[in-house]
Amino acid sequence: MASNWTKQAIIFALRERGTTAAQLAENAGISRFTVYGGMERPSPKVHALISEALGVPRQAIWPQFYDEAGNRTGLIRAKRAA
């Protein structure tokens, strides 16, 4: 199984692209701590922000959280009560 990028690798990649996690957070109207936390935990909103900023599909950055098609994995698929 492939490993997720580390928080340090993501921060470095963002800086190479001329932005920071704090700037992403400010533009999205969320806390920078939310962005930092989302680098290590499942957070679709944060993952979308980061992958868009880097120009890399989120499944390439977080292969443990997304399948090859970009759909979240590991979610419990329960049927709703009628």
Side-chain angles (χ1 to χ4, degrees):
M1 174 183 263
S3 296
N4 292 342
W5 289 16
T6 64
K7 182 188 273 189
Q8 291 79 14
I10 296 168
I11 291 170
F12 181 75
L14 286 171
R15 288 185 181 160
E16 281 189 321
R17 297 288 260 182
T19 191
T20 64
Q23 289 172 336
L24 287 179
E26 185 176 332
N27 293 342
I30 58 176
S31 165
R32 70 174 189 253
F33 299 110
T34 302
V35 174
Y36 288 127
M39 291 180 186
E40 298 179 319
R41 293 186 296 277
S43 178
K45 181 177 182 176
V46 172
H47 294 174
L49 289 171
I50 293 171
S51 67
E52 183 179 327
L54 295 178
V56 177
R58 60 186 177 181
Q59 60 268 30
I61 302 170
W62 296 279
Q64 294 174 342
F65 300 147
Y66 300 96
D67 63 16
E68 292 180 9
N71 300 314
R72 288 188 62 193
T73 60
L75 295 176
I76 298 172
R77 305 274 187 218
K79 292 185 179 180
R80 292 184 176 224

